[in-house]
Amino acid sequence: EVQLQASGGGLVQAGGSLRLSCAASGLTFDDYAIGWFRQDPGKEREGVSSISTSDGSTYYADSVKGRFAISSDNAKNTVYLHMSSLKPEDTGVYYCAAMWYVGSGRVVGGDEADMEHWGKGTQVTVSS
């Protein structure tokens, strides 16, 4: 059974930083791309950032470029999302998801329709 466990959310003031973690199990980690998505009540879920755990390809939404950085520790089957210069509009539930990537012909991106496995989210609240 594939499991994705997101953690690291919390309450932070605008301008602050947080690091989210997504620990994966039950899959061949190196074959997948892992993505972070967020959803605020009343809004659609949006793709924030993704990374291929095999070739390091990355995707960032325009709204987070220059502020967020995604990384992968394949020895720990974990992907991190380093968030800095946080803004109130970054508030939401952050989910991590996995997409089979190696040999698929897919591109690392922010489309939730590409994701096959989802974890429960972690709440990020940025106060002004």
Side-chain angles (χ1 to χ4, degrees):
E1 178 187 5
V2 175
Q3 291 190 338
L4 299 168
Q5 182 65 52
S7 62
L11 173 64
V12 64
Q13 288 187 331
S17 300
L18 281 175
R19 188 185 77 165
L20 304 184
S21 300
C22 177
S25 61
L27 51 73
T28 304
F29 191 71
D30 293 359
D31 286 345
Y32 280 79
I34 304 294
W36 286 99
F37 296 77
R38 68 185 178 195
Q39 187 169 25
D40 210 15
K43 297 182 181 179
E44 292 186 356
R45 187 159 56 187
E46 63 170 332
V48 175
S49 182
S50 297
I51 187 169
S52 160
T53 59
S54 58
D55 63 20
S57 300
T58 58
Y59 161 84
Y60 294 98
D62 288 343
S63 59
V64 306
K65 284 180 181 176
R67 301 189 298 120
F68 290 12
I70 193 167
S71 63
S72 175
D73 185 339
N74 289 24
K76 296 182 178 180
N77 282 13
T78 300
V79 166
Y80 302 99
L81 185 66
H82 308 260
M83 308 187 295
S84 60
S85 301
L86 283 162
K87 304 175 181 180
E89 51 264 43
D90 294 317
T91 293
V93 178
Y94 282 68
Y95 301 88
C96 62
M99 172 186 81
W100 179 59
Y101 177 73
V102 174
S104 69
R106 290 170 164 174
V107 175
V108 173
D111 189 348
E112 63 178 282
D114 289 334
M115 298 298 168
E116 292 138 358
H117 307 285
W118 290 84
K120 295 181 180 179
T122 184
Q123 176 71 45
V124 172
T125 303
V126 184
S127 63
S128 58

